Amino acid sequence: MKRKWKWKRGAAALLLCAGMAVSLCACGKKQDGEESALRKERAAAVDNGSLNGDSVVVAVGKTTVTYNEYKVYDHFMKSQYEDILTQDVWTYKAGSAQKSIGQEAVEDVIRLIIQVKVITKEAQAQGVALAADEKEAADHNASLYCESLSDEVKSAQGISQAVMARVFEENKLAEKMYSIVTGKVDVNVTKEQARAARVQLIWLPFSGQNKEEVRKKAADLAARAKTLTGSFYRFAKENTQADEVEYLVGQMDERTNLASAVLGMKQYGTSDVIEEADGFYIAYCVEPVNDGLGEAYRNQVIEERQTKAFQDAYAGWAKNFNARVSKSLLAADSGKDE
C-alpha cells in the first residue's frame, strides 16, 4: 500500500489532500512532439546530469523550478519526520515495494511543485494576485521560517530568503485560488440529506473473476463479527482492504445499499454482508443517526463537494501545460545528504 505523506504547511495540505494526480515523466532538453501536442504551452528544457542549486529540475510550461527551490519543499517534507525517525527511513522499502520511501517522497514533492506552479500560472491568467497585506504576511512568515533554520541547514539545502519568500507567496496564491473555486460550491444540505451514522467498516473489493470467492470470505467474516467478544475495530483493521476503518456514512453516499443499511442500524449492532459495486462491506454501528452527527456529515458533504470542484478545476488548468522533470532528480534518493 502506497505511503501517503501528510503535509502540514499552507496549500501543500490542500493540494495533496485533494488527491490530484500528476504523472511524472523524465525528460531531457529534447522536446517530445507527441506529448507537447496535447498541451498548449510546451515545457521549457530541464537539466540532467550533475545538479547544482541553479539547475532547472522541473518545468511547467515556460515556468522553471531550480534545484534550490525543489530542496525547500523537500526540506519541509523531511523535517516533519526526521525529528521522530532516523534518516534511515528514506532508504526503507515497505513489503514488495519497488521504490524506497525516499524515492516515493521525491516524487510526491515533485507532484506538489507541479500542482502549485499550474495553479499559480492559472491565477496569473485569471488576473488573480495576492493583495499587499497577503504578500506582506507570506513574506513575513517566510522570513520567520528562515530565521528558525540554522546556517548549516540553509547552506546544505540551498535555502535563501528570496527562494523561501517565493515558495510562501505561491502557496498563499494557491490557497487563494482554492478559496475562489470552492467559494462557488453549493453548501445547501437538508436535514434529511444530512442523516448519518458513525460506523466501522470491513471492505473487501472484488473483481468479476473472484466475486463469489470474496463473497464467501465476507460471509465468514460477518459471522465471526457477530460473535466477537473483543474489539470490532481491531478485527476490522486486521481484515479490511481499506486504509481506514471508521467513517461517517450518510444519506448522500453513492453506495446506496451501504447507506440504507447503516442508517437503520442500532448502536453496537453488526450488519450482514452488504454488496456494493466496489466490493462487500460489513458494518459495525458506533453511533446511530442523531442531530450531532448530522451536522458533522453536512460539513463532510460540503468538503467533498469543494474537493471535487477544485479537482475538476485543476484538471482543466493542467491541460494547458506540459510538465517536464529532470531524470537526475527522479533518480535521486531523498535520504541522501546534499
Side-chain angles (χ1 to χ4, degrees), residues 165-234:
R166 181 167 63 251
V167 168
F168 272 68
E169 286 177 17
E170 290 186 347
N171 273 257
K172 186 66 177 177
L173 184 57
E175 288 183 358
K176 190 167 186 174
M177 288 294 286
Y178 180 88
S179 296
I180 289 172
V181 171
T182 59
K184 300 174 184 178
V185 170
D186 178 14
V187 296
N188 293 313
V189 180
T190 67
K191 186 173 182 178
E192 177 62 23
Q193 290 173 326
R195 293 182 67 241
R198 188 178 303 281
V199 293
Q200 295 169 0
L201 298 176
I202 297 173
W203 173 59
L204 300 175
F206 58 74
S207 64
Q209 291 72 35
N210 70 352
K211 181 175 181 179
E212 294 310 312
E213 178 184 345
V214 177
R215 186 196 303 275
K216 183 177 179 181
K217 180 179 179 180
D220 177 65
L221 288 175
R224 290 167 59 191
K226 289 178 181 292
T227 59
L228 273 180
T229 56
S231 164
F232 182 91
Y233 182 89
R234 186 179 299 111

